[in-house]
């Protein structure tokens, strides 16, 4: 083996074999959703349906829609590598509120019925479940796959009457797969490194409406710390992180309409418990404004942390509603201040409104509400036909 190859192998061993060195490059959280990405990830205190899943598990709880989203992104646009490879991500997610109807949520209720200990009504009313699949290909060297199961629930009036509270969790399944190369084959034969690694993680989130237009949120990441070491007996765990956030909503402010201002504070845990240095922290400030009866939104933000995490972000959304259906096209752009290149994310989201009677568990009330909604729909159709005849 020549000198250059030895240097390359030693570098890989230095980065991976000594188990407590950072694994920040694996499943690096630079923003998975364009709406959040455009707001510098300052989404800890925002209810935004499927767009909240990876920023606060409780943020999905108040969704009344069946939602599907697909996301494609470039984590960092740099000149392609010498072998023509590059970096890209793909994300797919589904969100489904629990209802009194037979649908996907009923399958979840059936699978986890035994874990409710007879309290099925409490766990599966005013709740939401979601599933997402994330894949990142890093220069044809390693692929990262994460499957997330989300559960969240509205807990209004639980602490005290009038308290608007939500809570949720994400259970994550991680899988690293290393491509077979000559260098990796050497490390595998000499040190017993595996070609793949599976790990599990758990995140917890809460949200509390402090006032009519002020909301607070908190997220505790990696309560179960995923271990990404590929060496026998190695320990390469992701640190536990704490994220705190606040949001303030305005119907109008200056020339902005439907405006939300957010601020987040994040403290990142240490990869090495014996490290006496100060933990890394970051502040995120962002805004979002919707215009033209919620058809168009623009947003922006700034993240201030260390040299590699500081960045400026911006994003837009085009939203179209037709009947019970809604389609959103989102784009986000971010400019890292300490790294060369830019980041881009695109997503397409489809929402299907669920009838209000599907959330009523009293059979008589649900049937009556269903009858009223059907009469209202028929009346609207007749009015529309009359208008067309007049034209």
């Amino acid at each position: 083996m020549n000198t250059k190859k030895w240097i390359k192998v030693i570098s890989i061993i230095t980065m991976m074999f000594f188990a407590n060195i950072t694994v920040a490059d694996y499943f690096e959280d630079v923003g998975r959703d364009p709406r959040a990405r455009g707001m510098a990830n300052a989404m800890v205190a925002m209810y935004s349906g499927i767009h909240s899943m990876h920023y606060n598990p409780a943020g999905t709880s108040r969704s009344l829609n069946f939602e599907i989203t697909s996301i494609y992104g470039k984590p960092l646009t740099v000149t392609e590598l010498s072998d023509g490879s590059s970096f890209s991500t793909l994300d797919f997610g589904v969100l489904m509120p629990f209802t009194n109807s037979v649908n996907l949520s009923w399958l979840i209720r059936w699978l986890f019925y035994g874990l409710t200990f007879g309290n099925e009504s409490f766990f599966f009313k005013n709740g939401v479940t979601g599933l997402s699949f994330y894949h990142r290909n890093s220069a044809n060297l390693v692929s990262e796959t994460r499957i997330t199961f989300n559960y969240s629930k509205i807990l209004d009036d639980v602490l005290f009457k009038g308290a608007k509270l939500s809570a949720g969790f994400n259970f994550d399944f991680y899988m690293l797969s290393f491509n077979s190369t000559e260098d990796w084959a050497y490390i595998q034969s000499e040190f017993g490194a595996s070609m793949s690694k599976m790990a599990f993680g758990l995140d917890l989130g809460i949200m509390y409406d402090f006032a009519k237009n002020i909301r607070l949120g908190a997220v505790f990441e990696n309560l179960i710390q995923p271990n990404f070491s590929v060496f026998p007996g190695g320990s390469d765990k992701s640190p536990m992180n704490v994220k705190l956030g606040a949001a303030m909503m305005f119907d109008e402010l200056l020339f902005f309409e439907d405006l939300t201002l957010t601020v987040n504070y994040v403290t990142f845990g240490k990869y090495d418990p014996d490290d006496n240095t100060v933990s890394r922290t970051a502040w995120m400030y962002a805004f979002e404004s919707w215009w033209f009866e919620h058809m168009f939104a623009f947003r922006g933000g700034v993240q201030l942390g260390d040299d590699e995490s500081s960045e400026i972000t911006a994003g837009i959304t085009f939203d179209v509603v037709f009947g019970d259906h809604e389609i959103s096209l989102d784009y986000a752009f971010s400019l890292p201040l300490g790294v060369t290149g830019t980041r881009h994310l695109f997503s397409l989201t489809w929402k299907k409104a669920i009838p209000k009677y599907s959330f009523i568990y009293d059979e008589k009330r649900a049937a009556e509400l269903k009858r009223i909604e059907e009469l209202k729909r028929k009346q609207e159709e007749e009015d529309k036909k009359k208008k067309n005849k007049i034209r």
Side-chain angles (χ1 to χ4, degrees), residues 118-130:
N119 296 297
E120 182 191 11
S121 177
F122 175 79
F123 284 99
F124 295 118
K125 285 183 181 178
N126 299 319
V128 174
T129 184

Side-chain angles (χ1 to χ4, degrees), residues 337-367:
L337 301 181
V339 181
T340 301
T342 58
R343 297 184 174 115
H344 303 268
L345 273 178
F346 302 85
S347 75
L348 183 65
T349 303
W350 170 68
K351 298 180 183 180
K352 172 67 169 64
I354 298 176
K356 292 181 181 179
Y357 60 80
S358 297
F359 300 98
I360 305 298
Y361 287 81
D362 182 279
E363 292 186 7
K364 290 184 178 180
R365 284 187 60 204

Side-chain angles (χ1 to χ4, degrees), residues 5-224:
K5 188 153 289 187
W6 267 112
I7 293 174
K8 193 174 182 180
V9 171
I10 292 172
S11 297
I12 295 173
I13 295 172
T14 302
M15 291 174 62
M16 303 184 64
F17 184 64
F18 296 103
N20 290 326
I21 289 179
T22 176
V23 292
D25 288 339
Y26 298 149
F27 302 98
E28 183 181 11
D29 185 12
V30 296
R32 291 177 55 180
D33 180 272
R35 184 179 180 190
R37 187 75 237 114
M39 299 179 66
N41 291 337
M43 291 275 286
V44 171
M46 290 188 66
Y47 289 113
S48 187
I50 200 167
H51 300 286
S52 296
M53 186 181 299
H54 303 295
Y55 300 92
N56 189 332
T60 62
S61 62
R62 296 185 186 272
S63 176
L64 300 178
N65 305 305
F66 175 70
E67 304 182 32
I68 297 177
T69 189
S70 58
I71 304 170
Y72 174 77
K74 286 286 186 180
L76 190 64
T77 58
V78 294
T79 304
E80 289 192 345
L81 304 179
S82 58
D83 62 354
S85 61
S86 60
F87 301 84
S88 63
T89 63
L90 182 65
D91 205 327
F92 177 81
V94 178
L95 196 69
M96 181 71 205
F98 292 109
T99 70
N100 60 19
S101 306
V102 178
N103 50 36
L104 180 62
S105 69
W106 272 77
L107 174 62
I108 303 298
R109 295 175 71 168
W110 180 77
L111 289 174
F112 294 97
Y113 177 80
L115 298 179
T116 66
F117 301 101
N119 296 297
E120 182 191 11
S121 177
F122 175 79
F123 284 99
F124 295 118
K125 285 183 181 178
N126 299 319
V128 174
T129 184
L131 186 70
S132 79
F133 173 87
Y134 169 83
H135 180 78
R136 171 176 170 173
N137 179 47
S138 298
N140 292 334
L141 295 176
V142 58
S143 64
E144 306 166 18
T145 301
R146 176 165 63 182
I147 299 174
T148 298
F149 172 76
N150 170 262
Y151 168 84
S152 62
K153 178 174 172 56
I154 297 173
L155 297 172
D156 291 353
D157 300 325
V158 172
L159 290 181
F160 54 86
K161 189 171 180 60
K164 294 190 68 175
L165 179 70
S166 295
F169 70 84
N170 285 343
F171 181 77
D172 298 306
F173 169 76
Y174 299 90
M175 184 170 182
L176 286 173
S177 297
F178 296 89
N179 293 340
S180 180
T181 63
E182 183 180 347
D183 297 329
W184 190 258
Y186 174 79
I187 296 173
Q188 187 178 19
S189 63
E190 290 294 320
F191 302 102
S194 60
M195 294 295 294
S196 62
K197 176 67 177 183
M198 293 185 294
F200 301 93
L202 179 68
D203 307 325
L204 175 66
I206 56 175
M207 281 196 193
Y208 173 66
D209 282 17
F210 181 76
K212 185 177 181 180
N213 66 329
I214 299 176
R215 183 177 301 124
L216 306 177
V219 178
F220 305 93
E221 288 186 336
N222 299 324
L223 293 178
I224 296 178

Side-chain angles (χ1 to χ4, degrees), residues 163-338:
K164 294 190 68 175
L165 179 70
S166 295
F169 70 84
N170 285 343
F171 181 77
D172 298 306
F173 169 76
Y174 299 90
M175 184 170 182
L176 286 173
S177 297
F178 296 89
N179 293 340
S180 180
T181 63
E182 183 180 347
D183 297 329
W184 190 258
Y186 174 79
I187 296 173
Q188 187 178 19
S189 63
E190 290 294 320
F191 302 102
S194 60
M195 294 295 294
S196 62
K197 176 67 177 183
M198 293 185 294
F200 301 93
L202 179 68
D203 307 325
L204 175 66
I206 56 175
M207 281 196 193
Y208 173 66
D209 282 17
F210 181 76
K212 185 177 181 180
N213 66 329
I214 299 176
R215 183 177 301 124
L216 306 177
V219 178
F220 305 93
E221 288 186 336
N222 299 324
L223 293 178
I224 296 178
Q225 296 176 266
N227 182 4
F228 295 116
S229 176
V230 295
F231 296 93
S235 178
D236 207 353
K237 296 181 179 181
S238 290
M240 289 187 286
N241 307 319
V242 177
K243 299 181 178 181
L244 305 175
M248 182 172 289
M249 290 72 72
F250 303 90
D251 293 332
E252 290 185 31
L253 182 65
L254 300 177
F255 56 87
F256 292 97
E257 297 180 12
D258 195 2
L259 176 67
T260 300
L261 303 177
T262 67
V263 57
N264 285 189
Y265 172 76
V266 181
T267 176
F268 300 95
K270 299 177 182 178
Y271 288 92
D272 183 358
D274 298 323
D275 185 358
N276 293 322
T277 60
V278 178
S279 297
R280 290 192 307 119
T281 61
W283 286 90
M284 295 94 158
Y285 305 91
F287 76 91
E288 178 183 70
S289 180
W290 284 87
W291 293 70
F292 310 118
E293 297 182 352
H294 216 77
M295 291 181 61
F296 172 76
F298 67 95
R299 55 187 67 92
V302 59
Q303 177 172 310
L304 303 175
D306 57 28
D307 291 340
E308 292 187 1
S309 64
S310 296
E311 60 183 354
I312 299 172
T313 69
I316 58 174
T317 295
F318 291 98
D319 192 273
V320 179
V321 177
F322 48 98
D324 294 334
H325 303 270
E326 181 178 348
I327 293 180
S328 298
L329 179 64
D330 299 272
Y331 166 72
F333 163 86
S334 59
L335 176 65
L337 301 181

